[in-house]
Amino acid sequence: MEIPILLPLALALLGFLCPCVTTLTPRVSFPMDSPGRRLIRFNSHDVSNTTTLLLSEDGDILYVGARDSVLALNVSHKDSIILRNKLDWTPSHEDLEQCSMKGKKMADCPNFIRVLQFLNTSHIYACGTFAFSPRCTYINTDTLTMSLKPDEGRGRCPYDPYQRNTALVVDGELYTGTVADYRGNRPVISRHLSEGKRVDLKLDDTLGWLEDPTFISSTFIPDEEKIYFFFTEVGREYDFIDKFIVSRVSQICVSDVGGQRTLQRRWTTFAKAQLLCQADHELPYNVLQDIDTLLPAEGAPVDDILFYGIFTSQWSVNSGRSAVCSFRLTDIKSVFSGNYKVLNRDTLQWSARVQEKVANPGECGLHNASDNALRFVKENFLADDSVRAVGRNLTMVSAENTYSHLTVQRVQAANGKHYTVLFLLTESGYLHKAVLLLRGAHIIEEIQVFEQPQPVRSLKLSIPKGVIYIGTSEGVVKVPTANCSFYWTCAQCVLARDPFCGWDPASRVCVMVSTTNTNLAQDIERGNAEEACSSVSLNHKSRFGPNKLPAASCPPGELVSVSLNEVVRLQCPAASRLSQQLWERPNSRLSSDLYLNLEDGSLSFVATPATLGHYLCLSTENGYQQTMAIYHVKQKTSPLSQTPTSYTQPRTNAIPTTQSMAKPGSGLHISVGTETHQGESKTTPSNRNTQVTTRQLGKNLTSWTKQPRQRELELRDGEALLAAQAPCYLKELVIVSLLLVLSLSLLITIFLFVITQRCNHRTAPQAATIDSDRRTPVEQEARRANVFLSKRNEQGQQSGHGSELVCNAALSGSNGHLPNTPI
């Protein structure tokens, strides 16, 4: 009893030991309605909830269970889905009213088709929720009409359209996993439509057979004569405070007819075991989302059947992650043939004590066993061991995407080796195509199927047609499994690592792999494009080395016309999401002081004479390098100059506006232009140094358009002129300087004038006062008289004294005497 108590603590400690999850990035991503990945859609304004799919044996007709209807779609055409027939199956007005009186929403009361199975070659057996009162009927496949009146569907179809269920038909009998009551409290695994000596069976009502299950899927193994059901339920064998969800696999034998006295009309071959999707030192991914069966390769034993399932975790440490685990049939059989737990009816506690086996639970033929053996089977149905994943490890795990549905296919590559390809649907609306390699999973591509998350019930894979059908709430989507024509080069075809595709060296296209054409370039495991395409394409490194330039000049590329001191941004298309972009210039290094590599792979710099020229965008992926874009950055030609379109000798009476700048011995000629100001054409010395500072780009970036390539002009005597001319501001500088000098002169003049006036007002009265203080009144009067007479006779020699006298005269009173001076 100590183990169940310590188990939650142990699981919590394992959460801290959980290693980092490897990031799985899809190599190529196709958004909605991308021309590179064309999808076929079917939708109609009067059709919704097309979530139950059934494909005919020849793959030409797809039967769809929708809301209040069953559809027959013609999918035999490659580029279209055509509605062939439609069967309306709508509850009456009285049925809808009764559903509403039960407290259900009217949106949940229509008839949602949840069971759609071939009963025989001429009829389909269909069941729907029918306003929370399940009904089932027989439908003729040719006319899509009901052959019989619908009957009750309790135990065959869920009441609630949101409850998951599973159903399949084997030899005309229906095997289902669903709930058998209105409230959803009675889960059952049952058999219906039995005839003759065979009777309908269901699980015993004994406590513990099923604990609040959610049914996921079911599959029939003919060689085993068993049906395996996959579901999740509450694990009562774990004594946790919170409910612990576990994933289960259970089995029943199709030959079971129930016991004679014990377990009458009940399963005698029912047994269940836990599916454990867990890596070492990690918490388990315990919630099963979907599961699919992969049959063994031709000639392999039946025990090699694999079941691939998507699991999530109820633990917060693994929240948002999805894991894929695979389980082998031989491991499931081994667990069911082992020991079983014992349930104490008094304490409702499970124990794993060893006891004598009276019978082997899950073994076919127990319906003829004794009552003692059947009582042992009734009380011992939970296997002691868990079914562990193949290799006791996860097939793949994703922390970026939450997967909800999957389907799996085995594909033979060009070398004859088989690879497993998974098609995984994310909750965000993308379909991931992944191939399982020795080093792990590789996501070849992701395809956006729908924009908004919506309910998806099933994926249907048609291997002969090479398509996948996805049933959503809005319609049906048809997705081809291969997209070889998208890869335009041998390198891209090989780097994709798609087992469906290979490069044909004869036709030089990426084609579907077939048994007739095995001479294809393909490398699924390593993706070595250089080796696989050695006879098809050249490696970029052999053409453009870091310090080596071929004798011939670079390809012209795309012409980019810019102005000096303008911010330029060159885009570099990515070959894939796994590639890395690299920029190069022939015979030149890209200094970090002049160039800025942005996160999207583009290159940004300021246009200067030193940054004009050719630029090559390279893409590196898995050791293979290829050229993605070539740019020729050139200075714009001034509109005031006329550029001749083509000539060999320059004119003698005009300076050409397009000049050639070349490095000696490089063989590379880059055409650039010069700017003219005020009708003049100027050049700068070749040894002029220009300082460039790289700045952070904003949202408004320089844009350009493609222009015709201009021919290079040859200058007289072979002298090369620089293409860049800095703008001239000499006249503006002279004008500003003159205005500054005039302003300063005016300010100095005004300042001197003010100072002079203040000095005059201060000094004149003071001098007069001093003179008058030093003389007697008689002397002062005599001096005034003499000064007055001398002013008339003297010339400009005594003007200074005269001014002084004028000032003093102005201070005299009306009687001619100084104020306050006695006569």
Side-chain angles (χ1 to χ4, degrees):
M1 297 301 294
E2 295 181 356
I3 295 178
I5 298 176
L6 297 177
L7 187 57
L9 179 60
L11 292 176
L13 293 176
L14 284 176
F16 295 100
L17 297 176
C18 178
C20 298
V21 179
T22 304
T23 302
L24 291 178
T25 303
R27 183 180 181 274
V28 182
S29 180
F30 296 98
M32 178 74 75
D33 299 326
S34 173
R37 201 62 157 98
R38 188 166 178 261
L39 308 181
I40 309 300
R41 302 178 184 273
F42 170 82
N43 50 57
S44 178
H45 67 281
D46 58 345
V47 176
S48 61
N49 293 92
T50 53
T51 55
T52 304
L53 306 180
L54 178 64
L55 189 63
S56 63
E57 187 176 356
D58 58 5
D60 291 338
I61 303 296
L62 180 68
Y63 298 94
V64 181
R67 186 178 69 176
D68 294 334
S69 62
V70 177
L71 312 176
L73 304 178
N74 185 354
V75 293
S76 60
H77 301 284
K78 182 179 180 180
D79 299 328
S80 63
I81 299 178
I82 303 173
L83 177 62
R84 179 179 176 183
N85 284 318
K86 179 182 178 183
L87 170 64
D88 292 325
W89 190 10
T90 307
S92 63
H93 183 68
E94 292 76 10
D95 295 328
L96 296 176
E97 287 184 351
Q98 291 181 4
C99 178
S100 179
M101 291 177 61
K102 294 177 182 178
K104 302 301 179 181
K105 298 179 181 179
M106 289 302 297
D108 300 336
C109 289
N111 185 23
F112 295 88
I113 310 302
R114 299 302 304 276
V115 175
L116 207 61
Q117 291 290 320
F118 284 111
L119 191 62
N120 48 45
T121 57
S122 61
H123 284 81
I124 291 175
Y125 193 76
C127 299
T129 59
F130 208 83
F132 276 79
S133 180
R135 304 288 174 85
C136 296
T137 187
Y138 298 88
I139 299 176
N140 188 293
T141 56
D142 294 332
T143 60
L144 207 68
T145 56
M146 295 184 184
S147 300
L148 297 174
K149 184 179 179 179
D151 57 356
E152 184 181 2
R154 184 175 59 179
R156 310 177 189 185
C157 178
Y159 288 75
D160 193 331
Y162 299 104
Q163 286 180 336
R164 299 190 66 172
N165 69 301
T166 180
L168 56 84
V169 172
V170 178
D171 297 332
E173 295 176 323
L174 178 68
Y175 296 84
T176 63
T178 184
V179 292
D181 67 330
Y182 173 79
R183 298 182 182 274
N185 296 328
R186 290 181 55 195
V188 294
I189 294 177
S190 54
R191 183 175 69 195
H192 306 272
L193 308 180
S194 299
E195 296 179 352
K197 295 182 179 181
R198 296 177 63 84
V199 295
D200 292 348
L201 299 178
K202 63 179 181 180
L203 287 179
D204 188 77
D205 295 333
T206 303
L207 181 66
W209 282 44
L210 292 175
E211 296 286 350
D212 192 18
T214 300
F215 293 99
I216 304 299
S217 178
S218 57
T219 184
F220 173 58
I221 308 298
D223 294 339
E224 296 290 324
E225 294 186 354
K226 291 182 179 180
I227 296 178
Y228 292 92
F229 290 86
F230 299 91
F231 55 94
T232 61
E233 66 173 356
V234 178
R236 296 296 183 185
E237 65 268 30
Y238 298 101
D239 189 13
F240 286 2
I241 298 177
D242 296 331
K243 291 183 178 180
F244 179 51
I245 305 298
V246 296
S247 299
R248 302 287 197 197
V249 55
S250 66
Q251 65 169 24
I252 58 172
C253 295
V254 295
S255 60
D256 197 346
V257 293
Q260 297 178 359
R261 289 178 298 272
T262 303
L263 294 179
Q264 289 185 5
R265 293 183 178 271
R266 300 294 187 266
W267 296 108
T268 64
T269 55
F270 174 80
K272 67 179 181 180
Q274 181 179 355
L275 292 175
L276 193 55
C277 180
Q278 181 184 17
D280 293 337
H281 309 297
E282 287 191 18
L283 288 173
Y285 292 85
N286 57 319
V287 183
L288 179 64
Q289 301 294 331
D290 195 18
I291 197 164
D292 193 25
T293 305
L294 179 63
L295 298 177
E298 186 177 356
V302 179
D303 288 349
D304 288 344
I305 290 179
L306 293 175
F307 302 96
Y308 284 88
I310 298 174
F311 294 82
T312 57
S313 177
Q314 74 177 103
W315 310 104
S316 58
V317 67
N318 287 337
S319 178
R321 296 180 181 178
S322 291
V324 177
C325 283
S326 61
F327 304 91
R328 199 179 303 275
L329 178 60
T330 182
D331 296 332
I332 296 177
K333 293 170 58 178
S334 176
V335 169
F336 280 136
S337 62
N339 295 327
Y340 282 77
K341 295 181 183 296
V342 178
L343 178 63
N344 190 324
R345 297 295 177 178
D346 297 330
T347 62
L348 299 181
Q349 296 291 329
W350 289 91
S351 62
R353 72 173 183 266
V354 179
Q355 58 181 343
E356 182 182 356
K357 270 192 176 183
V358 180
N360 293 322
E363 184 180 0
C364 296
L366 288 177
H367 56 276
N368 294 324
S370 63
D371 292 343
N372 187 27
L374 293 180
R375 281 193 295 269
F376 179 84
V377 171
K378 182 179 179 179
E379 297 179 357
N380 300 269
F381 53 85
L382 178 59
D384 187 27
D385 291 335
S386 298
V387 182
R388 294 187 174 271
V390 175
R392 297 200 171 195
N393 205 347
L394 309 179
T395 301
M396 65 176 289
V397 60
S398 174
E400 297 81 16
N401 299 280
T402 302
Y403 295 121
S404 60
H405 291 77
L406 90 162
T407 185
V408 59
Q409 180 181 357
R410 179 177 285 105
V411 182
Q412 184 176 354
N415 58 1
K417 186 178 179 180
H418 289 87
Y419 290 92
T420 302
V421 178
L422 302 178
F423 298 93
L424 304 155
L425 190 65
T426 69
E427 290 185 350
S428 59
Y430 283 84
L431 181 67
H432 285 189
K433 176 182 175 182
V435 58
L436 303 182
L437 307 176
L438 295 177
R439 297 182 179 179
H442 167 68
I443 302 180
I444 301 171
E445 60 182 352
E446 67 172 3
I447 311 159
Q448 187 176 11
V449 181
F450 41 84
E451 294 182 358
Q452 299 297 332
Q454 48 188 284
V456 177
R457 298 294 181 186
S458 61
L459 302 180
K460 281 296 178 182
L461 172 63
S462 176
I463 295 179
K465 299 292 184 180
V467 294
I468 298 175
Y469 299 98
I470 304 175
T472 71
S473 60
E474 297 181 355
V476 179
V477 183
K478 179 180 178 182
V479 183
T481 56
N483 190 31
C484 303
S485 60
F486 172 76
Y487 308 110
W488 63 95
T489 64
C490 178
Q492 291 296 319
C493 188
V494 173
L495 289 172
R497 301 190 191 185
D498 191 340
F500 288 96
C501 304
W503 183 263
D504 185 7
S507 59
R508 302 184 67 83
V509 292
C510 194
V511 298
M512 286 277 293
V513 176
S514 61
T515 56
T516 58
N517 189 3
T518 58
N519 187 24
L520 300 178
Q522 191 184 59
D523 190 351
I524 306 301
E525 286 293 343
R526 298 181 303 163
N528 192 332
E530 185 173 0
E531 180 178 338
C533 302
S534 58
S535 60
V536 179
S537 59
L538 294 177
N539 192 350
H540 173 78
K541 293 180 179 179
S542 61
R543 298 177 56 194
F544 301 102
N547 299 316
K548 181 179 63 176
L549 192 71
S553 60
C554 285
E558 180 180 349
L559 181 62
V560 180
S561 298
V562 298
S563 301
L564 291 182
N565 300 324
E566 185 178 5
V567 179
V568 183
R569 182 174 178 177
L570 304 180
Q571 299 288 345
C572 183
S576 73
R577 298 179 65 182
L578 301 180
S579 63
Q580 295 181 352
Q581 288 93 328
L582 174 67
W583 288 90
E584 287 186 0
R585 293 191 66 183
N587 291 339
S588 178
R589 291 185 58 189
L590 299 182
S591 173
S592 59
D593 297 335
L594 302 179
Y595 299 93
L596 180 63
N597 289 279
L598 303 181
E599 293 182 358
D600 60 351
S602 59
L603 183 68
S604 179
F605 56 90
V606 178
T608 64
T611 59
L612 300 177
H614 275 83
Y615 292 86
L616 287 81
C617 166
L618 310 178
S619 175
T620 303
E621 180 182 356
N622 199 24
Y624 182 80
Q625 193 176 77
Q626 55 185 327
T627 304
M628 300 302 298
I630 301 177
Y631 294 97
H632 180 190
V633 181
K634 174 185 174 182
Q635 184 181 350
K636 290 181 180 179
T637 303
S638 174
L640 298 179
S641 304
Q642 297 180 356
T643 304
T645 58
S646 176
Y647 58 86
T648 57
Q649 294 294 335
R651 298 179 182 178
T652 57
N653 56 353
I655 299 178
T657 59
T658 304
Q659 301 170 2
S660 176
M661 179 175 64
K663 294 185 178 182
S666 64
L668 174 62
H669 299 277
I670 305 175
S671 299
V672 296
T674 60
E675 294 183 355
T676 57
H677 298 275
Q678 304 296 332
E680 299 177 359
S681 177
K682 300 181 180 181
T683 59
T684 57
S686 59
N687 58 354
R688 180 177 179 178
N689 296 325
T690 304
Q691 183 177 0
V692 181
T693 303
T694 305
R695 64 181 178 88
Q696 183 66 29
L697 295 179
K699 292 184 179 180
N700 298 325
L701 299 174
T702 303
S703 60
W704 60 82
T705 58
K706 295 182 179 180
Q707 299 181 359
R709 187 186 181 191
Q710 300 180 357
R711 295 182 178 273
E712 302 170 350
L713 303 181
E714 298 179 359
L715 298 180
R716 181 178 302 176
D717 298 333
E719 296 179 355
L721 299 179
L722 286 177
Q725 172 64 33
C728 180
Y729 299 102
L730 180 60
K731 291 186 178 181
E732 289 80 354
L733 181 61
V734 172
I735 294 174
V736 172
S737 301
L738 291 176
L739 291 176
L740 181 61
V741 171
L742 291 176
S743 300
L744 292 176
S745 301
L746 181 60
L747 290 174
I748 293 174
T749 303
I750 295 174
F751 178 76
L752 293 177
F753 177 76
V754 172
I755 295 299
T756 304
Q757 290 296 324
R758 289 184 179 181
C759 291
N760 291 339
H761 283 287
R762 291 181 181 179
T763 57
Q766 185 177 6
T769 304
I770 293 174
D771 293 340
S772 61
D773 293 338
R774 291 179 180 178
R775 296 183 180 92
T776 62
V778 178
E779 292 175 347
Q780 293 178 3
E781 184 67 22
R783 179 173 176 79
R784 281 198 298 272
N786 294 333
V787 170
F788 177 77
L789 294 176
S790 63
K791 182 179 180 181
R792 295 184 173 219
N793 300 324
E794 291 179 356
Q795 301 298 325
Q797 297 87 355
Q798 298 178 354
S799 60
H801 298 282
S803 62
E804 182 181 356
L805 292 176
V806 172
C807 292
N808 292 335
L811 296 176
S812 60
S814 58
N815 54 5
H817 300 284
L818 290 174
N820 301 325
T821 302
I823 300 175

